[in-house]
Amino acid sequence: MPLESLQRVSARVVAGAAIGLMFAGAIAVPAAAEDPDSVESLAQSRRFDYNGDGFNDLVYIHNNGGKLYLRAGDGSGNLGAPRYLLSGFAKMDVVMAGDVTGDGFADLVARDNRNGSMYTYPGNGAGGFGTRSSVGLDFGGKSVFAVLDYDGDGNPDLLAVGQRSGILSHYPGNGDGTFGAGVQVAEGFGHTDMLVSPGDVNGDGLGDFLVRRVSDMYVLHLSGGREIEYRHWLGDPSMTHSHMQVVSVGDLDGNGTYDLLTTDSLTGALYRQSIDSTGELGGFTTLKASGWNAYRLPAVVVDRTYDYDLDSFSDAITVHRSNDTSFDYNGNGRGGFGRTSYGGDFDDLNLIENGGDFTGGDAIPDVIGRAPATGWLYVYPNNGINHLTRERIGTGWNVMDTILGGYDYNYDGKPDILARETDGSTLWLYPGLGNGRLGARTALDAVAIAELGRITSAGDLNHDGYPDLLAVHDNGCLQLVLGQGGADYFKNGTELSCDWFGMGSADAMDLMFDMGDADSDGHNDFMARRESDGNVFFYKGDGKGGFAAPVQVSTGWQGFLVA
């Protein structure tokens, strides 16, 4: 597909006008290195050689259990068998960093997403890592980050985007595994949900970077102020791939150009694709045909599970039962809302639920709905503006009193559905196939389901890598049901607070719903509606499974269904 080379401007629309996504402000471009025509040094071209054999490698994480693995490159573009390295990475955002410590060995930089602390994991040159050390920065308010030599001084630096502000900042590397204070280099990056460093693409001695905006559009920022857009799934003209993960691996095949590895969210395939000095993308080479949805590549990606309008903040879709009007309560990134009318044919439903990217391929959350007259379950694909024509995905769903979606409960990289039968006897897992369809269901019996009243999905509340649930016991007490992976999926609930539902209190809540990270602090939160007046309260998550005291954020939610 031909590439569009673009001149830098201070502000320009980069997506549909209805979505209104813009770059705002020119990037502060550092001076070029002394010899702009020189090629990168051997050390830079092999900056991801973790086992010391002279070839670039791949480090990645298994979704189920958070274990870190290494696959060694062979210099011809292929990867070897997996080698287990370390555990405890379920809660970590990891990027392959090159040599940030100055000892000649490739390192990792990782953020603990429970508290925003950043660490350097020093490589030992033999495929292992020494004791991690703090980089001296708090990245709790940053959405995405990448490591590259942005200023051309030979030391890898950090680039990061502010979650609320959309400001792109440069943190200069000190060459010892630490980084200096951040300096703003551009505004208008609030809609960026991925930031990747492919290397010094144009050979001027400065690291370049790739961003993803509006999920399926990628923009390569070359030093010197030039941009190149790749539309339709990273420049694939056939639009047959859906690249929800992209990572740089240096020159993996030894042909003198940089390579990207991507995973296809629809098939689970792992691909290699080259990027030359002009920014031209080469064709796709399939390294693995399936299975890679179960792994997380070393690139930081923003969670869009509740970002219906693609503005980087979590939202809620509502339908009023009396008149079937629907609204998008647009999150403001601080735990509050605006409100706009929403297009969608929800008038025959008695349940709506967030489905995550159930139809697959665009990272845009869809809506699941049930029609009580027929018992049919539908998915409403979302395009970031409104929902498209619904598609039936199941029958017989009137026997369920709870239907939950939006999260990957079986750790294969695709959002699933949990459903409980009305008599409370069984909780079922319906695996999502990543294409708007469901696989064969599995009964889950690890939780005392019969004793729990209302249940809602809650995302990963304690940052252990597993999605959790919130539930209300028949006695009115709110319980935290933690995910735990493996065959049992969930632990038994632990009590958080009481007098929530149907207990006679004027402050009793009759609805709770998940919104992911509603205040952009890196921790999942939840909302609850007060039965007496329809007021909605924000419960700020602490990243450890607990919540702050509720704060009222909206009114007038009586009679709403919420997704």
Side-chain angles (χ1 to χ4, degrees):
M1 178 172 121
L3 301 176
E4 177 190 3
S5 295
L6 303 171
Q7 296 299 317
R8 163 65 65 184
V9 292
S10 62
R12 60 183 296 272
V13 177
V14 296
I19 301 175
L21 302 181
M22 301 183 69
F23 285 118
I27 293 180
V29 181
E34 290 185 5
D35 183 5
D37 297 322
S38 65
V39 296
E40 278 193 311
S41 67
L42 184 63
Q44 279 293 92
S45 65
R46 295 177 177 173
R47 66 189 186 280
F48 302 137
D49 175 17
Y50 287 94
N51 63 359
D53 64 357
F55 305 126
N56 286 323
D57 310 311
L58 174 68
V59 174
Y60 62 98
I61 299 169
H62 198 295
N63 288 335
N64 189 1
K67 294 180 179 179
L68 190 74
Y69 290 89
L70 170 74
R71 284 184 185 255
D74 63 1
S76 65
N78 297 311
L79 297 169
R83 171 185 168 187
Y84 167 73
L85 298 179
L86 295 168
S87 61
F89 281 83
K91 62 183 181 298
M92 307 296 288
D93 296 320
V94 175
V95 297
M96 297 195 302
D99 180 18
V100 298
T101 58
D103 61 0
F105 301 137
D107 310 310
L108 297 179
V109 169
R111 172 179 61 186
D112 189 328
N113 55 40
R114 296 172 300 180
N115 53 30
S117 297
M118 292 281 285
Y119 298 95
T120 293
Y121 287 77
N124 61 13
F129 296 95
T131 303
R132 72 181 188 182
S133 60
S134 172
V135 305
L137 298 171
D138 179 3
F139 267 52
K142 306 299 180 183
S143 56
V144 290
F145 62 91
V147 179
L148 68 161
D149 185 7
Y150 183 75
D151 54 18
D153 67 352
N155 294 324
D157 312 311
L158 277 169
L159 283 186
V161 175
Q163 174 70 12
R164 291 181 185 171
S165 67
I167 291 174
L168 180 71
S169 297
H170 166 229
Y171 299 79
N174 296 322
D176 60 359
T178 65
F179 299 87
V183 177
Q184 177 179 332
V185 294
E187 298 178 342
F189 279 76
H191 303 289
T192 296
D193 62 3
M194 181 183 291
L195 182 63
V196 178
S197 169
D200 177 16
V201 172
N202 58 357
D204 65 354
L206 302 173
D208 306 307
F209 63 97
L210 179 74
V211 301
R212 185 177 70 193
R213 300 169 68 87
V214 202
S215 302
D216 69 346
M217 186 181 71
Y218 297 79
V219 181
L220 175 63
H221 293 264
L222 297 170
S223 45
R226 190 159 62 96
E227 296 173 4
I228 299 173
E229 285 188 5
Y230 311 110
R231 294 181 181 270
H232 307 310
W233 295 297
L234 203 63
D236 174 22
S238 66
M239 298 177 64
T240 57
H241 304 294
S242 171
H243 304 285
M244 292 297 102
Q245 295 190 82
V246 180
V247 67
S248 170
V249 285
D251 182 9
L252 195 64
D253 57 4
N255 68 349
T257 62
Y258 291 109
D259 297 303
L260 300 174
L261 293 185
T262 66
T263 59
D264 189 331
S265 65
L266 300 179
T267 65
L270 178 70
Y271 301 105
R272 187 184 78 245
Q273 188 174 21
S274 65
I275 179 169
D276 69 16
S277 61
T278 68
E280 183 78 30
L281 292 174
F284 295 94
T285 298
T286 302
L287 299 184
K288 299 290 181 180
S290 63
W292 277 78
N293 279 330
Y295 303 111
R296 178 156 51 96
L297 298 183
V300 182
V301 182
V302 171
D303 180 7
R304 289 193 181 275
T305 301
Y306 284 86
D307 184 12
Y308 292 105
D309 59 5
L310 303 181
D311 66 351
S312 299
F313 302 135
S314 294
D315 313 307
I317 301 296
T318 67
V319 180
H320 202 286
R321 293 178 180 176
S322 65
N323 55 23
D324 298 319
T325 56
S326 56
F327 297 96
D328 179 359
Y329 278 81
N330 319 100
N332 61 14
R334 298 183 296 276
F337 302 100
R339 190 178 87 165
T340 58
S341 62
Y342 194 80
D345 182 15
F346 302 123
D347 57 356
D348 61 343
L349 305 182
N350 69 346
L351 177 146
I352 60 173
E353 175 68 22
N354 178 280
D357 181 19
F358 189 77
T359 55
D362 59 10
I364 304 175
D366 308 309
V367 169
I368 303 295
R370 179 180 62 189
T374 60
W376 292 350
L377 194 69
Y378 295 94
V379 59
Y380 292 76
N382 183 18
N383 64 4
I385 303 172
N386 52 37
H387 280 91
L388 309 178
T389 303
R390 69 186 184 181
E391 303 170 13
R392 190 174 72 184
I393 58 174
T395 61
W397 286 76
N398 277 337
V399 301
M400 304 296 180
D401 72 350
T402 299
I403 299 173
L404 305 175
Y407 294 102
D408 177 21
Y409 292 101
N410 64 355
Y411 322 111
D412 67 351
K414 305 167 187 175
D416 310 308
I417 290 178
L418 295 178
R420 182 183 61 181
E421 295 193 17
T422 302
D423 63 6
S425 60
T426 309
L427 180 69
W428 296 96
L429 169 69
Y430 291 80
L433 301 181
N435 59 0
R437 297 293 181 263
L438 293 169
R441 69 183 186 179
T442 302
L444 307 183
D445 57 3
V447 185
I449 301 298
E451 296 182 359
L452 300 179
R454 302 170 189 260
I455 307 174
T456 188
S457 53
D460 184 8
L461 295 175
N462 63 346
H463 292 292
D464 64 355
Y466 304 120
D468 307 314
L469 304 176
L470 287 172
V472 178
H473 194 280
D474 289 343
N475 63 10
C477 292
L478 180 68
Q479 294 199 357
L480 171 65
V481 181
L482 292 174
Q484 63 179 354
D488 290 336
Y489 289 91
F490 298 102
K491 301 177 182 179
N492 288 325
T494 57
E495 186 176 296
L496 296 179
S497 62
C498 289
D499 201 19
W500 267 65
F501 290 81
M503 300 300 291
S505 168
D507 291 325
M509 305 291 179
D510 69 339
L511 173 70
M512 59 182 176
F513 56 96
D514 179 28
M515 279 189 58
D517 179 14
D519 63 350
S520 308
D521 69 346
H523 308 314
N524 275 26
D525 316 298
F526 79 100
M527 303 280 179
R529 178 180 64 193
R530 190 160 59 194
E531 183 176 16
S532 61
D533 55 15
N535 291 344
V536 171
F537 294 83
F538 168 59
Y539 287 76
K540 178 182 176 66
D542 63 5
K544 303 174 184 177
F547 301 92
V551 177
Q552 182 179 323
V553 293
S554 192
T555 61
W557 287 54
Q558 300 97 322
F560 278 172
L561 301 174
V562 182

